[in-house]
Amino acid sequence: MNIHVHKIPSVAAGIRHVWNRNFLAFKKSWLVSAFWILLEPTFFLLAIGYGLGSFVPTIQGLSYADFFYPALLCTTSMMVSFFECSYANFAKLNYQKTYSTMILSPLRPQEIVLGEIFWGATKGFFSVLGVTVVATIAGHDLNSGIFGAWLILLINSVVFSALGMIIISLVRNYDGIVYPTSGFIIPMSLFSGTYYPLEQLPELLRYLSYLFPLTHSVALVRTLVTGGSLEWYHGLQVLFLLSLAVLLTLTAIQRIQKKIIQ
Amino acid sequence: MSQVVLEAKSVVKKYGDQTVVSGVSFSVNKGECFALLGPNGAGKSTTMKMLYGSVQITSGELYMLGISLKKNIRDVKARIGVVPQEDGLDPEFTVYENLEIFSAFQGIDSQVAKVRIEEVLKIAQLEEMAHRSVESLSGGMKRRLAIARGLLNHPEILILDEPTVGLDPQARLWIWSFIQQLLSEGVTVIMSTHYMEEAQKLCNRVAIMDKGKILAMGTPSSLVKELIGKEVIEVEMNPKEIIYFVNRMNSEGISYQTARNQLNVHLKEGQTNEQLIQRFHGYQLTIRQPNLSDVFLKLSGHDLRDEPL
């Protein structure tokens, strides 16, 4: 008789296997994904950075395109991660029963959620690389500050992946994802110092915008990409983003766990 | 003394103040085929889900392979196979990839998995479908793939939740012979079903469930013998006539069951049917072997909602 030794995968291995499932699915259509990932920022850089930007002399001592590019990195990271973990994962949670099947194996709910969040962040980061490539080809300065910026963008992607997972634990159908998108994600992309400096906002709205994670990502990434000097408060901003990433991830784990083990 | 591989002690499941499973206790021996039998909504699916950890136990204890599910469900999951009712196949992948990905979830080494995937594809007769997308499979094939997936880790216990629901007769027969093959190899099978004939054909023991409770438990033949008898006489008549005959039989101590426009008279061992056949002269009569449906009807007072009588 065969003796089958069952070794239980470690937590890290569990997360990796979940991540890998998504990577394998992505590999099937990566060319199409990559095309869109590169095309969209090209449109934005052209239309906003160069089109609209040609009417703006300088902004905080930068050309408008240079001012806008770091923000584009941040909004791309946010959008791609959020949509991956909301729309795509809503189907896995409810229609495809992907998580219900995963839980039949020794995988734990937290490994599933972490694997999904890291995958969302990976895809967000992949898009960030795409934007970097497009922008560099378009003539934007590429300096060592990009490494720091990438790190911030990775944290930013985790924040919005985790947020996406929390949203799908709350909504009943796809329409339910539209409200947080229109009510939170889109406004954030407009009021976080993305298209114009925060100083342009009325005082109340400006203080409100400090609550947006994107505001801090944009400030950090802009400083790093444009070679600005780092100040003490940048440390606080990093801390804010990191704490938010941890808090939202823990919330996502707790909420999705209840969804897959009833 | 046979080895107990599953023990449920007063298992309860509540959602808020709604009790779905109210204190079921049963045990399953190694190598046995055990079924939870009952209509939809009886609580058997919830009970099954508690066995494989997709539903949390509100109170009570569940031990599988000697391990408390509350304490170490992962060790249990590594040693059992589960075929859920909804298949849960990944539509983004092929048949082969579905098995490959689940092997990784099971923590099976990829080289070992390669060999095992070929084996389970063969068992499920899906070798030719290996590189087809899951979407292109028929319902029967999808179920077979879900079974193949449940076998990847050489499970000691295979749990099948309503394995033949929604399948055509041919696919159902395949699953029946598969389960019999599995049992002959010494694997323990725990299943849920609302098909009486399925339970009767495959299972050593059944637990009849209704409204979250186990009404009776035993081998199909002993349940039939003890609770019904050796023979059933079905008589078609209108409700008024039923009342008349029922009153008569009550005074005589003959057991029976009424259902819609039908009176089922249960004959115990040693009772003869001649006198009764004469009594029902002129009515449409059927004399048949009793089965688990009769048992269910007697215990629950209602028909299996999905089963034609």
Side-chain angles (χ1 to χ4, degrees):
Chain A
M1 196 186 137
N2 291 332
I3 292 173
H4 304 286
V5 183
H6 300 285
K7 61 175 200 306
I8 307 285
S10 67
V11 174
I15 296 169
R16 186 162 48 77
H17 292 316
V18 174
W19 186 93
N20 203 45
R21 179 250 165 236
N22 295 318
F23 178 67
L24 292 172
F26 175 70
K27 251 175 44 181
K28 291 186 176 229
S29 59
W30 71 272
L31 213 67
V32 180
S33 289
F35 176 74
W36 289 107
I37 280 169
L38 292 175
L39 198 68
E40 207 182 281
T42 309
F43 285 163
F44 267 96
L45 266 184
L46 277 177
I48 308 292
Y50 297 100
L52 186 66
S54 63
F55 294 96
V56 181
T58 57
I59 193 165
Q60 295 182 337
L62 302 164
S63 77
Y64 189 74
D66 283 338
F67 174 83
F68 175 63
Y69 161 51
L72 182 61
L73 287 170
C74 296
T75 50
T76 304
S77 140
M78 168 177 79
M79 297 282 188
V80 172
S81 302
F82 180 75
F83 286 122
E84 180 69 17
C85 282
S86 53
Y87 282 94
N89 290 356
F90 184 78
K92 290 187 209 159
L93 176 66
N94 296 297
Y95 303 128
Q96 303 178 7
K97 302 278 172 200
T98 312
Y99 303 148
S100 307
T101 304
M102 286 178 174
I103 210 71
L104 302 178
S105 77
L107 280 179
R108 286 186 279 223
Q110 53 265 49
E111 293 167 330
I112 297 173
V113 177
L114 286 172
E116 293 291 82
I117 289 175
F118 290 155
W119 171 253
T122 306
K123 216 170 159 191
F125 188 67
F126 181 72
S127 319
V128 161
L129 291 182
V131 177
T132 313
V133 170
V134 170
T136 306
I137 293 169
H140 286 267
D141 184 31
L142 185 68
N143 55 51
S144 62
I146 196 71
F147 295 109
W150 281 343
L151 210 62
I152 299 300
L153 290 160
L154 199 58
I155 303 169
N156 189 62
S157 296
V158 169
V159 166
F160 288 102
S161 297
L163 189 66
M165 294 296 280
I166 295 171
I167 296 299
I168 61 164
S169 76
L170 295 167
V171 301
R172 288 176 172 208
N173 49 39
Y174 282 118
D175 287 345
I177 306 174
V178 174
Y179 308 125
T181 305
S182 314
F184 188 63
I185 298 290
I186 301 291
M188 201 158 25
S189 76
L190 297 171
F191 297 105
S192 299
T194 39
Y195 295 90
Y196 49 85
L198 280 181
E199 288 69 37
Q200 298 302 114
L201 289 173
E203 201 169 2
L204 190 68
L205 205 55
R206 192 167 83 229
Y207 287 124
L208 193 68
S209 79
Y210 287 130
L211 296 174
F212 295 164
L214 198 69
T215 301
H216 305 288
S217 306
V218 169
L220 287 163
V221 171
R222 185 171 286 141
T223 305
L224 287 161
V225 170
T226 59
S229 57
L230 288 167
E231 308 288 340
W232 62 271
Y233 57 82
H234 289 126
L236 280 185
Q237 291 185 306
V238 175
L239 207 64
F240 176 73
L241 286 176
L242 273 175
S243 320
L244 203 58
V246 172
L247 190 73
L248 292 178
T249 300
L250 292 176
T251 310
I253 289 173
Q254 190 248 347
R255 292 210 51 96
I256 298 287
Q257 175 151 16
K258 276 193 192 156
K259 281 272 168 182
I260 46 186
I261 300 180
Q262 287 158 345
Chain B
M1 179 76 191
S2 46
Q3 194 188 334
V4 173
V5 292
L6 166 65
E7 193 166 18
K9 289 181 180 170
S10 313
V11 173
V12 173
K13 180 63 194 178
K14 285 184 187 171
Y15 291 109
D17 40 349
Q18 194 199 356
T19 305
V20 185
V21 176
S22 48
V24 298
S25 300
F26 57 92
S27 63
V28 179
N29 298 324
K30 190 174 162 49
E32 202 175 27
C33 181
F34 181 86
L36 292 176
L37 186 61
N40 289 339
K44 57 190 194 313
S45 250
T46 306
T47 307
M48 294 294 275
K49 286 196 167 95
M50 285 193 274
L51 300 187
Y52 58 79
S54 291
V55 166
Q56 245 171 351
I57 305 163
T58 305
S59 70
E61 284 290 340
L62 264 174
Y63 293 91
M64 193 135 21
L65 299 162
I67 303 164
S68 164
L69 293 195
K70 277 185 188 165
K71 289 194 184 115
N72 197 352
I73 195 151
R74 300 182 84 207
D75 279 350
V76 173
K77 284 179 178 175
R79 290 169 64 188
I80 65 170
V82 180
V83 185
Q85 206 174 328
E86 62 269 13
D87 293 335
L89 304 172
D90 201 325
E92 294 183 55
F93 296 101
T94 65
V95 169
Y96 189 92
E97 290 166 335
N98 261 275
L99 297 172
E100 205 175 25
I101 290 166
F102 197 77
S103 306
F105 295 160
Q106 282 283 14
I108 302 169
D109 174 80
S110 63
Q111 290 306 309
V112 178
K114 273 195 179 122
V115 180
R116 185 59 182 160
I117 290 169
E118 296 302 332
E119 287 171 8
V120 298
L121 279 173
K122 198 172 174 198
I123 296 171
Q125 293 174 356
L126 288 169
E127 296 135 299
E128 263 119 72
M129 298 289 160
H131 300 291
R132 294 270 288 273
S133 94
V134 158
E135 302 277 73
S136 70
L137 301 183
S138 70
M141 286 175 184
K142 281 182 180 161
R143 186 60 46 84
R144 264 148 52 198
L145 178 54
I147 288 175
R149 188 186 60 204
L151 295 174
L152 282 168
N153 59 335
H154 295 272
E156 293 163 60
I157 302 175
L158 189 67
I159 299 179
L160 301 123
D161 196 358
E162 299 269 11
T164 62
V165 161
L167 298 186
D168 58 47
Q170 207 184 349
R172 183 179 296 182
L173 281 178
W174 186 91
I175 287 179
W176 286 0
S177 72
F178 160 77
I179 290 173
Q180 283 166 332
Q181 174 64 30
L182 207 61
L183 291 167
S184 74
E185 289 164 15
V187 177
T188 308
V189 173
I190 301 171
M191 60 189 275
S192 68
T193 182
H194 63 264
Y195 297 119
M196 295 288 163
E197 47 162 353
E198 188 163 279
Q200 204 150 4
K201 186 175 167 70
L202 297 172
C203 296
N204 307 86
R205 281 190 315 124
V206 298
I208 296 180
M209 279 190 85
D210 193 42
K211 295 179 180 136
K213 287 198 176 91
I214 292 180
L215 304 178
M217 195 157 41
T219 68
S221 60
S222 70
L223 285 175
V224 168
K225 207 170 153 188
E226 282 162 28
L227 294 161
I228 305 298
K230 59 162 187 178
E231 211 169 78
V232 175
I233 306 173
E234 290 179 3
V235 196
E236 281 180 36
M237 56 177 66
N238 67 44
K240 273 185 187 163
E241 295 169 315
I242 288 179
I243 293 169
Y244 165 75
F245 283 106
V246 158
N247 285 335
R248 247 182 101 175
M249 287 189 295
N250 278 343
S251 62
E252 295 165 344
I254 298 171
S255 70
Y256 60 87
Q257 190 67 49
T258 57
R260 291 185 215 115
N261 289 331
Q262 190 173 303
L263 175 65
N264 290 352
V265 183
H266 301 162
L267 282 185
K268 296 280 178 207
E269 209 63 54
Q271 290 178 318
T272 56
N273 61 22
E274 285 158 33
Q275 202 191 345
L276 284 162
I277 289 171
Q278 258 174 19
R279 181 183 301 177
F280 296 120
H281 183 75
Y283 290 100
Q284 180 84 33
L285 277 186
T286 313
I287 300 174
R288 60 165 174 84
Q289 295 275 307
N291 57 38
L292 284 173
S293 295
D294 299 309
V295 176
F296 183 79
L297 192 59
K298 173 161 180 166
L299 293 173
S300 70
H302 64 90
D303 195 0
L304 272 166
R305 277 156 254 171
D306 294 293
E307 183 95 352
L309 197 76

